[in-house]
Amino acid sequence: MSLLMKGLSFCPTPQGDYFELEKDLNLFCRKILLKKYFKKDKLREPDIVDKDKEILGVLESLLDESDLDQKFQKANRSGLKKKSDFTPGYGISNYVSVFRDMASDALLKLNHKRQSDNLSKAERQALKELKSWEDVQIKPSDKGGNVVIWDNDMYILEAKRQLHSDTYKRLYGNPTEGFVAIHNNLINDAFRDLLISEQEKSFLLVDNPRVATFYLLPKIHKNKVKPPGRPIVSGNGNLTENTSKYVDCLLRKYVTALPSFVRDTMEVLARLNGTHVMKGTYLVTLDVEALYTSIRHKDGIEAVKYFLDIDPSINPDLGHFIIKMLSFILHHNYFVFNNVFYLQIQGTAMGTSCAPTYANLFLGKWEQDVVFGDDLSFFTNYIPLWIRYIDDILFLWEGPLNLLNDFITILNTNSLNIRLTQNISQNMVSFLDLTIGIDEKSNITTDLYRKETATNTILHFESYHKNTVKRSVPTGEFLRLRRNCTSFETFRLRSEQLKTRLKDRGYSNKILKQAYHRALTTNRDNLLKTKPVKTHDDQQLRFITTYGPQTYKVQQVIQELWPVIHQDADLRSILPETISFCYRRCQNLGDHLTRSHFTGRKRQPPVKGTFRCGSCVSCSMVKNQDSFTDRFGNLQHVNDYINCKTSNVIYCIECPCDRKYVGMTTQRLNKRIQKHVSTINMAKEDRQKNKILSTVASHFLTYHNGNPEKLQFWGIEHVSLGIRGGNISEFLLKRESKWIYTLNTLAPTGLNEKIDFSTFLR
Ligand SMILES: [Zn+2]
Ligand SMILES: [Zn+2]
């Protein structure tokens, strides 16, 4: 339990991963190659129109040429585009290739074993055990940052209680194929009608989407023993993911233009700062109950339509298309839970990125037509300030209480399904993470608001993060207090409470003192000003890798070899002197322990390894083994049952002199093997015809007389995406890269020609 007390944000000391580093190195080299590639292009002044469109995408992201925009982005309003995975060949700079090989060798010499550990032996063991528990779900609580261990039976019961309601419909089968067809037809039509650009089209078209998954977060503040769950749909890579981003992108500007709109706490403070109110003013908060589920599609769509209609920059056809796509998103929100498919038939599609914008516009229209419409102006004359953050409203009332109550009653009587919960006070109300009050001089005051159930969610100081990151935690917290508290006394009081929480999380007195002092001496007015967003500096070159015990050694390796790159005259002139290093956070306890997709108990295959099917020509070539040794001398185990007829497999071919080739196939394994056999059989003829031979065929021709009989194969891994589906080829390619590296089968040691790291860009 001491483990979970550290919080799910806690990162245990990670172990380095050679393959991850190799991948990061190659993706870094790709950036250098791209710079050179486009530098060359610029010199040659190519006719861009003839260029591959994919390359164009990269070009645009690297160069900011406005004439390009005009040529190609006529219909492109969203600016959204598919990520490019274009990688120039290493042939364009020998120095980059040398740099990569030298760095790769040096990185292999690092020792990734954990030297010290921020978990005790018992905690390590506990982590291992928790990970292996299959009868429970480990979830962060809905509010307050607790960790809850939820028994599977109870979890399923609660999920079923929610799913078997009017909000969802059970589907008897996977609807993906049909839905994709409808979706892509809409996109292709829009492209044909010139409503979207080529770029947007390729961004929006879907193939092999993943089915979204449904899960619950326990609301332990409602019931500790039998917590109800907050339903969440997680739709990474799902059918409408990009369409929803597109719709959101085009509609968001109407949200930020709403008079009531506040982006965050900071904007609330900026709006309230220095506000002086009349004596007897009431502070009122309204909460729209279950906003997302209560918006009826026709009401929501009508609101969005209104904002599109009054925008002269949107032509009616495009407006119509946006509505069509929004409607598609609302009506095709399906997901899987415990191997059953469900379709959401009521309320705003959960988990979709345009949901907040949609709900905001729905309420924005209501504010405009009803709240501040002519009929209620008698009441709204008493309101000097009205702000809203999605479903939370704050306003000031400078009138009699009975009229205020009448006003709220009228608002609650509506045909839009809007139900409001109010909180009225002349002293203080809470809004977002603020407590808002009125002092004796009739000034608005603010203070930090913490829910009573809130636990300590501050990042633990022992967590495996860069020191600068951890040191910035107290500073950020104290500055937030300074910003949120109008009076100095409340700031002092909250600071004392914060100090206790920080100390509990392992922060030293010295760090706390510095952070507190920093907040103390900062002018509060400066904290209320929006800082300009740092723009991405294109000139910088970043080496991005995961933060781990070997991070500084990696940095050293790259920096020491950097002069190699500078020998390339072209690159020297365009690359910066130094590289900056950026770090991804390593896995935290949440990543280790929580899963959104519910799977229940996994079934283990009765036997593991590769077996003959007993009825094909490849049977005789099967090498049955359930374990093998990798390039580091570690014993690896095959965890699947594989035979000649298994598809979606990563396999290994061995020749009589023990050279290996790692490959992948979505077809049956024996089909793929026979293809290898036939290229070997054809090798002699092909060479005479001057055809380029594969490394496997060429090796067999040269060393084994072109005879494939002694070829052996075995399966390394059988890949399955499970019920959620997705793009299996891409997943196989990633696994293949990993195994080519781990088994060291790249030529000249083995028979693989290259590792394609560009799959990791998709
Ligand atoms: Zn067979
Ligand atoms: Zn051989």
Side-chain angles (χ1 to χ4, degrees):
M1 281 309 108
S2 75
L3 182 69
L4 293 179
M5 289 298 286
K6 293 173 195 285
L8 291 177
S9 64
F10 183 86
C11 297
T13 308
Q15 226 165 354
D17 182 325
Y18 291 104
F19 176 69
E20 282 286 311
L21 266 179
E22 180 72 13
K23 185 194 83 193
D24 295 336
L25 171 67
N26 275 272
L27 294 182
F28 174 68
C29 289
R30 170 181 177 262
K31 282 190 224 168
I32 303 172
L33 292 173
L34 281 173
K35 295 240 179 198
K36 169 131 181 172
Y37 187 86
F38 290 115
K39 157 92 176 173
K40 265 188 162 173
D41 255 17
K42 245 187 172 173
L43 296 176
R44 275 193 273 119
E45 287 184 4
D47 186 2
I48 296 167
V49 185
D50 295 338
K51 282 259 156 230
D52 184 349
K53 287 200 183 79
E54 210 177 32
I55 298 174
L56 223 134
V58 188
L59 188 69
E60 279 174 42
S61 64
L62 285 180
L63 313 166
D64 184 27
E65 295 188 0
S66 50
D67 60 319
L68 261 180
D69 288 4
Q70 281 165 9
K71 260 188 203 159
F72 297 100
Q73 300 193 340
K74 270 224 169 96
N76 194 351
R77 289 169 165 277
S78 66
L80 295 167
K81 58 187 153 215
K82 212 171 163 181
K83 247 176 122 184
S84 165
D85 58 5
F86 169 70
T87 306
Y90 278 84
I92 66 168
S93 174
N94 200 28
Y95 294 106
V96 180
S97 160
V98 170
F99 167 80
R100 183 196 57 180
D101 293 345
M102 288 174 77
S104 178
D105 284 347
L107 294 178
L108 258 175
K109 294 197 182 91
L110 297 179
N111 177 7
H112 284 311
K113 278 255 162 62
R114 241 181 248 117
Q115 304 295 331
S116 61
D117 194 349
N118 61 9
L119 293 184
S120 69
K121 265 202 174 136
E123 286 167 340
R124 258 303 146 195
Q125 186 58 30
L127 176 59
K128 214 173 150 190
E129 272 168 33
L130 276 174
K131 275 175 98 162
S132 70
W133 284 5
E134 291 189 337
D135 297 326
V136 296
Q137 302 292 314
I138 298 170
K139 301 277 179 198
S141 68
D142 179 39
K143 273 169 192 144
N146 293 286
V147 183
V148 178
I149 298 179
W150 210 341
D151 183 75
N152 272 1
D153 294 336
M154 299 272 279
Y155 184 73
I156 294 174
L157 207 68
E158 171 61 12
K160 281 197 172 155
R161 184 185 70 80
Q162 301 206 9
L163 288 168
H164 297 177
S165 68
D166 292 343
T167 311
Y168 311 97
K169 188 171 103 185
R170 188 184 166 154
L171 301 174
Y172 292 90
N174 185 347
T176 304
E177 211 176 305
F179 284 4
V180 167
I182 304 170
H183 178 269
N184 286 354
N185 273 338
L186 290 172
I187 303 300
N188 283 319
D189 286 353
F191 179 66
R192 198 198 52 219
D193 297 342
L194 304 175
L195 298 173
I196 53 174
S197 67
E198 177 86 40
Q199 257 182 41
E200 286 172 323
K201 183 182 86 168
S202 64
F203 176 78
L204 292 169
L205 282 177
V206 238
D207 69 319
N208 297 311
R210 245 162 104 67
V211 179
T213 188
F214 173 93
Y215 66 97
L216 298 168
L217 291 185
K219 295 182 180 180
I220 48 166
H221 53 284
K222 295 263 169 75
N223 184 334
K224 272 218 162 92
V225 188
K226 255 183 138 182
R230 170 185 294 276
I232 295 180
V233 171
S234 158
N236 232 336
N238 79 353
L239 170 65
T240 58
E241 184 182 35
N242 283 359
T243 302
S244 190
K245 277 186 196 155
Y246 170 81
V247 169
D248 188 51
C249 190
L250 291 180
L251 296 180
R252 215 171 335 165
K253 61 177 177 181
Y254 308 124
V255 175
T256 50
L258 292 173
S260 63
F261 174 77
V262 279
R263 194 182 311 273
D264 49 22
T265 304
M266 174 114 109
E267 276 198 24
V268 176
L269 290 166
R271 293 279 285 267
L272 294 175
N273 193 27
T275 304
H276 188 78
V277 295
M278 269 169 54
K279 270 235 141 42
T281 295
Y282 289 92
L283 296 159
V284 189
T285 59
L286 296 176
D287 176 37
V288 184
E289 287 170 35
L291 171 63
Y292 290 106
T293 43
S294 59
I295 307 173
R296 286 182 301 242
H297 292 341
K298 76 167 178 44
D299 298 332
I301 285 177
E302 196 178 307
V304 174
K305 215 165 166 286
Y306 165 79
F307 287 100
L308 286 168
D309 282 348
I310 58 165
D311 181 351
S313 75
I314 298 274
N315 82 49
D317 289 339
L318 179 62
H320 190 64
F321 171 66
I322 297 169
I323 292 292
K324 224 192 266 176
M325 294 327 286
L326 173 63
S327 171
F328 183 89
I329 295 164
L330 294 172
H331 289 102
H332 295 81
N333 199 40
Y334 71 105
F335 53 83
V336 65
F337 178 78
N338 204 15
N339 295 321
V340 179
F341 294 91
Y342 297 88
L343 181 70
Q344 187 184 348
I345 48 175
Q346 260 181 29
T348 314
M350 282 188 292
T352 194
S353 53
C354 72
T357 293
Y358 172 73
N360 262 320
L361 290 180
F362 168 72
L363 286 183
K365 180 86 176 12
W366 166 73
E367 284 171 339
Q368 183 184 316
D369 292 356
V370 180
V371 184
F372 290 95
D374 291 341
D375 292 353
L376 296 180
S377 59
F378 168 70
F379 295 101
T380 42
N381 282 334
Y382 293 112
I383 302 178
L385 177 93
W386 172 290
I387 54 179
R388 178 171 58 83
Y389 181 83
I390 310 179
D391 54 351
D392 285 320
I393 297 162
L394 169 77
F395 70 94
L396 301 176
W397 178 265
E398 294 180 336
L401 184 61
N402 61 329
L403 283 183
L404 172 59
N405 283 322
D406 288 351
F407 175 60
I408 295 173
T409 309
I410 293 171
L411 289 183
N412 253 327
T413 319
N414 62 68
S415 59
L416 289 171
N417 219 12
I418 295 174
R419 296 284 164 273
L420 303 161
T421 320
Q422 76 264 34
N423 208 332
I424 303 169
S425 168
Q426 285 187 309
N427 296 317
M428 57 178 62
V429 290
S430 65
F431 184 67
L432 309 184
D433 63 340
L434 294 171
T435 301
I436 295 162
I438 299 174
D439 69 9
E440 60 283 357
K441 287 179 191 143
S442 295
N443 290 314
I444 296 276
T445 61
T446 56
D447 181 6
L448 179 83
Y449 171 67
R450 262 175 74 80
K451 287 194 180 67
E452 275 166 38
T453 51
T455 51
N456 199 343
T457 52
I458 293 168
L459 178 71
H460 202 287
F461 191 70
E462 296 284 305
S463 179
Y464 207 86
H465 282 75
K466 230 181 143 187
N467 266 327
T468 47
V469 172
K470 287 189 286 193
R471 277 168 194 278
S472 70
V473 169
T475 315
E477 292 286 331
F478 280 115
L479 284 175
R480 188 161 76 100
L481 281 186
R482 185 83 182 96
R483 188 195 68 184
N484 284 7
C485 302
T486 32
S487 97
F488 197 70
E489 283 66 44
T490 45
F491 167 66
R492 286 269 284 270
L493 175 70
R494 300 293 170 219
S495 291
E496 285 311 311
Q497 295 164 342
L498 175 61
K499 272 181 198 166
T500 316
R501 289 204 301 280
L502 284 164
K503 267 188 199 164
D504 285 348
R505 288 304 211 188
Y507 291 84
S508 73
N509 278 326
K510 197 179 154 205
I511 294 177
L512 295 190
K513 240 184 173 162
Q514 283 171 352
Y516 176 68
H517 187 75
R518 165 101 189 268
L520 202 64
T521 52
T522 303
N523 184 344
R524 182 164 179 263
D525 289 340
N526 289 339
L527 294 173
L528 294 176
K529 283 180 199 137
T530 331
K531 288 183 194 75
V533 186
K534 270 189 197 161
T535 45
H536 180 78
D537 181 4
D538 240 12
Q539 287 310 304
Q540 263 194 20
L541 193 64
R542 291 184 181 80
F543 187 94
I544 305 167
T545 188
T546 307
Y547 189 66
Q550 293 300 330
T551 292
Y552 294 104
K553 294 225 168 111
V554 172
Q555 206 165 317
Q556 238 174 17
V557 165
I558 301 298
Q559 268 161 348
E560 271 169 23
L561 292 170
W562 189 234
V564 176
I565 298 280
H566 271 246
Q567 288 180 39
D568 183 312
D570 285 343
L571 285 171
R572 190 171 49 229
S573 67
I574 41 176
L575 289 180
E577 282 290 312
T578 53
I579 321 152
S580 53
F581 290 83
C582 299
Y583 300 103
R584 288 179 221 108
R585 152 176 88 62
C586 57
Q587 286 200 318
N588 62 25
L589 289 177
D591 301 327
H592 280 292
L593 297 173
T594 64
R595 298 275 170 275
S596 57
H597 183 57
F598 178 81
T599 45
R601 266 188 178 280
K602 286 178 208 90
R603 250 172 269 145
Q604 289 288 333
V607 277
K608 294 169 181 177
T610 311
F611 299 87
R612 300 175 176 196
C613 70
S615 59
C616 81
V617 284
S618 301
C619 276
S620 61
M621 297 173 169
V622 169
K623 181 179 180 187
N624 182 356
Q625 57 178 15
D626 58 3
S627 65
F628 52 94
T629 311
D630 67 19
R631 72 189 293 171
F632 308 107
N634 298 323
L635 192 67
Q636 302 265 3
H637 294 275
V638 179
N639 287 312
D640 309 292
Y641 169 84
I642 296 165
N643 74 20
C644 331
K645 289 185 175 165
T646 313
S647 50
N648 298 330
V649 178
I650 311 288
Y651 62 89
C652 180
I653 288 180
E654 288 178 21
C655 78
C657 60
D658 205 28
R659 304 250 162 180
K660 292 185 178 70
Y661 171 88
V662 171
M664 68 90 166
T665 179
T666 53
Q667 299 178 323
R668 284 182 172 185
L669 185 51
N670 54 7
K671 239 181 152 178
R672 184 75 191 92
I673 297 300
Q674 284 311 313
K675 214 162 179 191
H676 281 295
V677 169
S678 82
T679 58
I680 295 168
N681 282 329
M682 295 289 290
K684 209 167 186 174
E685 225 175 283
D686 284 346
R687 175 149 292 169
Q688 277 160 5
K689 286 186 199 156
N690 270 332
K691 280 193 187 167
I692 296 170
L693 298 185
S694 69
T695 32
V696 175
S698 159
H699 175 83
F700 269 85
L701 180 62
T702 315
Y703 295 94
H704 307 295
N705 209 15
N707 180 1
E709 266 168 34
K710 291 227 168 108
L711 179 151
Q712 283 192 304
F713 74 92
W714 47 279
I716 301 174
E717 185 179 16
H718 167 58
V719 169
S720 159
L721 293 177
I723 195 162
R724 296 182 65 191
N727 193 330
I728 188 98
S729 310
E730 265 176 30
F731 191 60
L732 278 163
L733 280 169
K734 284 182 185 143
R735 299 303 296 168
E736 182 193 46
S737 310
K738 186 179 163 87
W739 287 116
I740 293 174
Y741 179 79
T742 313
L743 285 174
N744 197 18
T745 61
L746 264 188
T749 329
L751 300 176
N752 282 93
E753 275 158 69
K754 62 167 191 168
I755 304 181
D756 183 9
F757 286 99
S758 66
T759 63
F760 292 94
L761 294 166
R762 292 191 279 262

